[in-house]
Amino acid sequence: MNLLFASFISLVFNPFVILVFLPFFLVYKSSGSIGISLFWTTYSLIFLMTIAQIVLYYVRKNVFTDLDVSTRAQRPLLFRILVIFGVLYISGLYLLHAPRVLYVMVVSLLFGVSVVSIINMRIKASLHVATLSALILGLVLGYGIYYAFFLLLIPLVGWSRVKLKRHTVSEVVVGGVVGSLLLLIIYGFAIAGHILVWDPMRGNYGF
């Protein structure tokens, strides 16, 4: 039963699943338009589905051990794929005059991928925990302290990764620390570059 629950948690909070909803959340927060948000969510989903199909292909060819690419030696190839599609994604954003918040999102993701790929040479940091930590911390900073309740999801996802033997406790901790630090760094640069502006109604910075 514990393994089944751990598998469910790991699937629901997979980085790819989280990234499906992230563009809608960001674009809607900056534009207030459901139509525009759905358009850019669909645009982003095309890229995510293509990457997912490539990963699935490599799993079938035994290049990747599993869909999580949990073997550290296999992750550099995954990181290269993400960078290539990240550059293509940005090119499309430019041609279609996308909201600037999506530029921030993809540049942040590419920066995160670069940092994690370097860390991967030493330790296999948990991408699940890193992605979730960055997302929830972003919610707290962007919407207020009452979203801090969702921080409880981080140790739950960490437990699931350890339970499934995809990561050790230290790898989960490194993932959480890296995801949080990257978000804080990006958030700081966004404020300094006036990408985020002070919202007196909420009492914090937002798009």
Side-chain angles (χ1 to χ4, degrees):
M1 179 62 75
N2 282 342
L3 283 177
L4 182 62
F5 180 63
S7 297
F8 172 76
I9 293 298
S10 187
L11 176 63
V12 169
F13 294 102
N14 185 288
F16 279 103
V17 175
I18 291 175
L19 290 176
V20 168
F21 300 99
L22 187 58
F24 182 90
F25 168 77
L26 292 174
V27 175
Y28 184 74
K29 186 178 188 301
S30 62
S31 70
S33 170
I34 293 179
I36 294 174
S37 303
L38 287 175
F39 173 83
W40 288 110
T41 299
T42 303
Y43 171 84
S44 303
L45 186 59
I46 292 171
F47 282 84
L48 288 173
M49 292 301 295
T50 303
I51 294 172
Q53 287 300 314
I54 292 174
V55 172
L56 181 60
Y57 171 80
Y58 279 133
V59 170
R60 289 173 175 170
K61 292 296 183 178
N62 295 318
V63 177
F64 293 155
T65 304
D66 50 48
L67 293 175
D68 292 331
V69 193
S70 53
T71 301
R72 187 174 70 176
Q74 299 169 357
R75 287 195 165 185
L77 174 58
L78 174 63
F79 295 145
R80 288 195 293 272
I81 292 171
L82 294 177
V83 169
I84 290 171
F85 276 90
V87 172
L88 292 174
Y89 184 91
I90 291 175
S91 300
L93 295 182
Y94 177 77
L95 292 173
L96 296 172
H97 307 290
R100 64 178 181 175
V101 65
L102 291 178
Y103 288 95
V104 176
M105 179 191 76
V106 70
V107 170
S108 300
L109 289 172
L110 290 177
F111 176 61
V113 166
S114 300
V115 172
V116 172
S117 65
I118 295 173
I119 293 174
N120 188 70
M121 297 177 184
R122 295 286 184 178
I123 185 172
K124 187 183 69 176
S126 172
L127 294 177
H128 278 69
V129 176
T131 304
L132 185 64
S133 298
L135 176 62
I136 294 177
L137 186 56
L139 279 173
V140 174
L141 292 175
Y143 279 93
I145 193 64
Y146 42 86
Y147 277 89
F149 174 78
F150 289 104
L151 291 171
L152 296 175
L153 291 173
I154 297 173
L156 178 62
V157 173
W159 166 83
S160 73
R161 304 304 291 161
V162 174
K163 185 68 177 180
L164 294 172
K165 297 182 179 179
R166 302 299 190 188
H167 289 285
T168 63
V169 173
S170 61
E171 290 168 348
V172 165
V173 172
V174 169
V177 171
V178 169
S180 299
L181 287 178
L182 286 176
L183 188 281
L184 291 173
I185 291 170
I186 293 165
Y187 195 78
F189 276 113
I191 292 174
H194 303 291
I195 297 172
L196 293 174
V197 295
W198 181 256
D199 184 345
M201 295 296 292
R202 292 185 181 275
N204 55 19
Y205 285 91
F207 291 105

